[in-house]
Amino acid sequence: MRFERGRRPGLPPKAKLTPRLLLSWIVLLAVVLSVAAGLAGAVQSLQSSLVLVVALVAMSVGWVLAALPMRSGFAALLGVLFGVEYLLVRVGVLWQRLLDIGLAAARFVWEFLVWYWTAVTPDWTPLVDHTLGLWHDMGVLIMRTVRWLSDLLAGGTIYDVVGMALVWGLAVWLMSLWAGFVVRRTGRPLLGVLPGGIVLSFVLSYTGKSPYILLPLLGGTLVLMGMMSQGDRETAWAWRGVDYSEGLWGDVTLVSTGLSVALVMAAALAPSFSVQKVADWVREVTEREGESRTETVAEGLGLEQRPEPRPVRPIESMLATTLPQQHLIGSGPELSRLVVMVVETGELPPMEITSEMYVEDVPRHYWRSLTYDRYFGRGWATSSVVPLAYEAGAPITVTETLNSRTLRQTVRFIGDGGVVFVDGALMSVDQPFSVEWRSNDEVFAATTLERQYRADSLVNTPTEEELRGATLAYPDWIQSRYLQLPDSVPERVLSLARDLTATQPTAYDRALAIQNYLREFEYTLDVPMPGASDDIADYFLFELQRGYCDYYASAMVVLARAAGLPSRLVIGFVGGTYDFAQARYVVTQADAHAWPEIYFPGYGWIEFEPTGGRPAIVRPGASSVSDETSRPQLAPLVPIATEPERGLTFVHYALMGIGGVAAVIGLTTGVDALSLLLQRPERMVTRLYRRLEAHARRLRARVRQGDTPDEFAESVARRVKEISEEHGFTGVEVVEPAADEAREVVSLYVQTWYSPDQGISPEQRRGAAWLWWRLRWRLWLAWLWRRSGGAKGVRK
């Protein structure tokens, strides 16, 4: 299409609503709203409803002002004054004042109009009163904000919700007003979005919030740049009288959208943009005037500085736990397939599986991880702990007990390392590890970052007779810590503990009485949640009377303490499926467990099994190891090789990149096909014909000026056949069909423009879109083959 001369390039178009103008407004609005949403998420107490509406109104005002025939300075002054008034009304909730002024003004006008006939003097007092009231309220808001800013800069008051809302609202208004005005007036989206992007980047860097809110800003800005650049080119072409297709702008928009999506996806997968250095530089400059003043100003503006990073111990989330937890045993086949770790103890040699093997012949182990000492009614917690780091193979302090043995276990996690699991009391680990110590040399937990380790532990193996003969001379620290219960424990729980153990002669018999009582309860995972104020033990003992391991273990610990037996809650895994062929325990999520341990002087902590879903513990009837000299000695631990961490490899990144590119190509192709189908038939086939001309130039087809469409089609077909024949069978099968498809496109063009009475049918339109989808990729492939040197250029 040919445009007339006389229009200067670069001037804004007339204030006429066109699809191009509307689309530009929508894209810019999305960018501005993303900036406002990012500030609302990063600034404390800044309401998103306020800044989003402010951004919408301000950008629209700037857009309209840019379209009006006025100087930029005067337009900016109007925009700022309107913004200040809008913010004062919005933050001060002065809408009622404005409504009263409007009603009073309407009444005054009506009285003035009928004054001649009624002879009643118009009363303008209400209008004046409401106007003065509005000015008074606005003055209060302004003075409050000025006073807050003055105190803030002087190091006084550091927070005021009204002042902060006005300051941040004005900042969002100015950034949005600038964006709307600059993009509409000059067509330079990067310049318009830059202030908002800088402010948002600095705020995100300072507060440590997620930078992904910058991705919509980046993508929208790139789309706007592509749209505005094409608009400038079309204006310049029209000024010079150059012909071009009306649909070219839509094509450029689609391409720029696809490229923007691809760049945003790349930025999301591998973020490389950072403003941390800028934020650090600004902080360094402001700290020259005093560190305390900088912090005061930041806090007053609602910015909470990101704390200095510190090492996070993996054990921190486990210092306290509430019930119900998910240490669920036997919960279903899905958990039995989720392997957690594999443990080898060397107690049994590998052997072939026979019908004479019994699970009872396999030693039973309780893989201990965490021990809790404080019960608070809703769950368990530990007393304060102190972490100490140990080198590989370093021994830790272990209290010697009677009738115990050492055990060396090799543990391999299926996943990342974390808490150390051992049966009994930990003695040493062959990898660097850390121990969380409570007072009196008591271990809460141990951790390691390695996925495989060997650990030595001390396992207590007293007989029932030895436990029945244990004294009740508990150390003071045991009594003060492991006999304590909160005052909130109901009286009936204490009474039940007394009733169950009143006639039992020894501490061990009392523990068995409590254990056996609880084992009568039904084991089930289908239990209702306790109330917010319910004591867990009381709820389980008197209302549920069914449940799973967490409830059983908690109830036994509480009952044992009420009966005078020092006890604690332990979390870990029990047993596992024993693999006879490889002599190892395969521990799955289904083996997660919680159990109680009771302290016996001289023998240490002894585990019990009150859970009905597990078999009871069978203890030896006679002593097998009686003193330290008969305990087997283990060789010192030597670190073993661990499996390297397997992160994302080049193949993973390559596949991710290929998937992202394929998604972008598919999206762009789909949008292009839809845009073709939505256009008028003559415009659709013209666009396809122009695209085919562009491909012909890329392929260096011999096309001469003055060729008819049919001659042009034959030139393209000959060139495609030349390229396909040079690639043998593959070229013939893949590229050569493009010759006939190009003729079909030209045939539709000729039918549309040279036989207007006949036209093309809806079926032909749909077929043309599908035809171009096939033809496009063949032509691009032919171009790649020509560029690779397999096909020669145009012949002279």
Side-chain angles (χ1 to χ4, degrees), residues 5 55 102 137 177 212 215 395 403 422 492 498 538 549 552 562 570 584 594 611 613 703:
R5 293 177 177 266
D137 293 341
L177 180 73
Y212 287 103
L215 296 180
N403 203 352
V422 293
R492 58 182 180 178
R498 182 184 61 248
D538 178 80
C549 59
Y552 285 95
V570 184
R584 63 181 186 177
T611 302
V703 179

Side-chain angles (χ1 to χ4, degrees), residues 101-357:
I101 291 175
L103 294 176
R107 181 179 178 181
F108 176 77
V109 171
W110 172 254
E111 291 178 352
F112 182 81
L113 293 176
V114 300
W115 177 21
Y116 179 79
W117 291 275
T118 62
V120 177
T121 304
D123 184 11
W124 53 279
T125 303
L127 177 60
V128 174
D129 291 341
H130 290 308
T131 303
L132 292 176
L134 177 64
W135 289 354
H136 175 269
D137 293 341
M138 286 185 174
V140 172
L141 290 171
I142 294 174
M143 292 304 298
R144 179 175 175 178
T145 303
V146 171
R147 187 181 303 111
W148 168 69
L149 287 175
S150 301
D151 293 341
L152 180 64
L153 296 176
T157 305
I158 64 173
Y159 184 78
D160 184 275
V161 62
V162 173
M164 188 191 68
L166 284 174
V167 170
W168 278 111
L170 182 60
V172 173
W173 179 275
L174 294 177
M175 291 183 294
S176 304
L177 180 73
W178 170 268
F181 186 85
V182 170
V183 173
R184 181 71 171 86
R185 176 67 65 91
T186 68
R188 300 169 66 183
L190 182 59
L191 179 62
V193 176
L194 187 61
I198 292 176
V199 172
L200 178 59
S201 300
F202 175 77
V203 170
L204 294 177
S205 175
Y206 188 89
T207 58
K209 300 297 182 179
S210 173
Y212 287 103
I213 192 64
L214 293 171
L215 296 180
L217 184 147
L218 172 63
T221 303
L222 293 176
V223 173
L224 281 173
M225 292 175 65
M227 295 166 58
M228 295 298 175
S229 298
Q230 179 60 23
D232 292 340
R233 284 191 291 269
E234 291 185 4
T235 302
W237 293 338
W239 175 255
R240 300 187 185 99
V242 178
D243 291 339
Y244 62 91
S245 173
E246 291 181 352
L248 186 59
W249 180 85
D251 295 338
V252 172
T253 302
L254 287 175
V255 172
S256 61
T257 301
L259 292 176
S260 301
V261 172
L263 290 175
V264 168
M265 292 179 61
L269 293 175
S272 59
F273 177 73
S274 174
V275 295
Q276 185 62 46
K277 293 183 178 180
V278 178
D280 293 340
W281 176 79
V282 173
R283 187 182 302 114
E284 180 182 355
V285 172
T286 54
E287 285 177 350
R288 294 173 184 174
E289 300 297 329
E291 181 179 357
S292 60
R293 178 172 299 182
T294 301
E295 296 176 353
T296 299
V297 173
E299 293 177 5
L301 290 174
L303 300 178
E304 181 181 0
Q305 185 174 6
R306 176 178 56 188
E308 292 296 331
R310 63 179 183 87
V312 178
R313 294 180 294 154
I315 209 68
E316 287 185 356
S317 61
M318 309 174 189
L319 297 179
T321 177
T322 57
L323 295 185
Q325 290 288 309
Q326 295 187 1
H327 309 290
L328 313 178
I329 62 174
S331 61
E334 70 282 354
L335 291 185
S336 64
R337 292 190 293 265
L338 300 178
V339 179
V340 177
M341 58 184 178
V342 176
V343 185
E344 300 177 7
T345 61
E347 296 170 294
L348 295 176
M351 59 187 72
E352 296 182 0
I353 301 178
T354 64
S355 59
E356 299 179 356
M357 293 181 177

Side-chain angles (χ1 to χ4, degrees), residues 388-424:
L388 291 179
Y390 293 84
E391 296 180 355
I396 65 174
T397 303
V398 178
T399 302
E400 296 291 341
T401 58
L402 300 173
N403 203 352
S404 59
R405 65 184 181 91
T406 54
L407 177 69
R408 174 165 293 175
Q409 49 249 294
T410 301
V411 180
R412 180 168 60 88
F413 286 111
I414 309 301
D416 296 333
V419 179
V420 173
F421 291 88
V422 293
D423 185 4

Side-chain angles (χ1 to χ4, degrees), residues 703-716:
V703 179
R704 295 167 295 189
Q705 284 188 341
D707 281 354
T708 65
D710 291 332
E711 292 173 339
F712 165 72
E714 291 303 321
S715 298
V716 174

Side-chain angles (χ1 to χ4, degrees), residues 284-528:
E284 180 182 355
V285 172
T286 54
E287 285 177 350
R288 294 173 184 174
E289 300 297 329
E291 181 179 357
S292 60
R293 178 172 299 182
T294 301
E295 296 176 353
T296 299
V297 173
E299 293 177 5
L301 290 174
L303 300 178
E304 181 181 0
Q305 185 174 6
R306 176 178 56 188
E308 292 296 331
R310 63 179 183 87
V312 178
R313 294 180 294 154
I315 209 68
E316 287 185 356
S317 61
M318 309 174 189
L319 297 179
T321 177
T322 57
L323 295 185
Q325 290 288 309
Q326 295 187 1
H327 309 290
L328 313 178
I329 62 174
S331 61
E334 70 282 354
L335 291 185
S336 64
R337 292 190 293 265
L338 300 178
V339 179
V340 177
M341 58 184 178
V342 176
V343 185
E344 300 177 7
T345 61
E347 296 170 294
L348 295 176
M351 59 187 72
E352 296 182 0
I353 301 178
T354 64
S355 59
E356 299 179 356
M357 293 181 177
Y358 300 96
V359 177
E360 290 79 4
D361 299 332
V362 178
R364 186 178 181 185
H365 295 283
Y366 282 77
W367 312 112
R368 179 191 299 172
S369 62
L370 310 173
T371 62
Y372 292 100
D373 61 335
R374 288 199 307 110
Y375 176 73
F376 55 88
R378 289 286 302 169
W380 292 89
T382 180
S383 302
S384 59
V385 296
V386 177
L388 291 179
Y390 293 84
E391 296 180 355
I396 65 174
T397 303
V398 178
T399 302
E400 296 291 341
T401 58
L402 300 173
N403 203 352
S404 59
R405 65 184 181 91
T406 54
L407 177 69
R408 174 165 293 175
Q409 49 249 294
T410 301
V411 180
R412 180 168 60 88
F413 286 111
I414 309 301
D416 296 333
V419 179
V420 173
F421 291 88
V422 293
D423 185 4
L426 179 66
M427 300 172 63
S428 183
V429 182
D430 74 332
Q431 301 292 342
F433 65 104
S434 177
V435 177
E436 307 287 332
W437 288 99
R438 287 194 287 258
S439 58
N440 301 102
D441 295 334
E442 186 184 20
V443 175
F444 164 62
T447 59
T448 181
L449 299 178
E450 303 300 333
R451 298 173 57 186
Q452 182 172 340
Y453 62 86
R454 286 184 298 173
D456 291 343
S457 61
L458 189 65
V459 182
N460 297 322
T461 57
T463 64
E464 289 190 333
E465 288 75 9
E466 290 172 334
L467 293 177
R468 285 191 171 94
T471 67
L472 300 179
Y474 302 114
D476 293 339
W477 67 274
I478 288 289
Q479 296 187 57
S480 61
R481 178 177 298 172
Y482 293 103
L483 290 177
Q484 297 301 313
L485 290 173
D487 296 336
S488 60
V489 175
E491 182 65 28
R492 58 182 180 178
V493 175
L494 307 179
S495 300
L496 176 62
R498 182 184 61 248
D499 295 341
L500 290 175
T501 60
T503 59
Q504 302 300 324
T506 65
Y508 179 70
D509 292 320
R510 297 168 195 165
L512 285 181
I514 298 173
Q515 172 187 274
N516 295 336
Y517 173 80
L518 294 176
R519 290 183 63 84
E520 297 297 325
F521 287 11
E522 177 187 1
Y523 176 83
T524 179
L525 304 177
D526 185 17
V527 294

Side-chain angles (χ1 to χ4, degrees), residues 750-760:
V750 172
Q751 179 180 344
T752 301
W753 290 105
Y754 295 93
S755 301
D757 296 336
Q758 181 178 358
I760 60 174

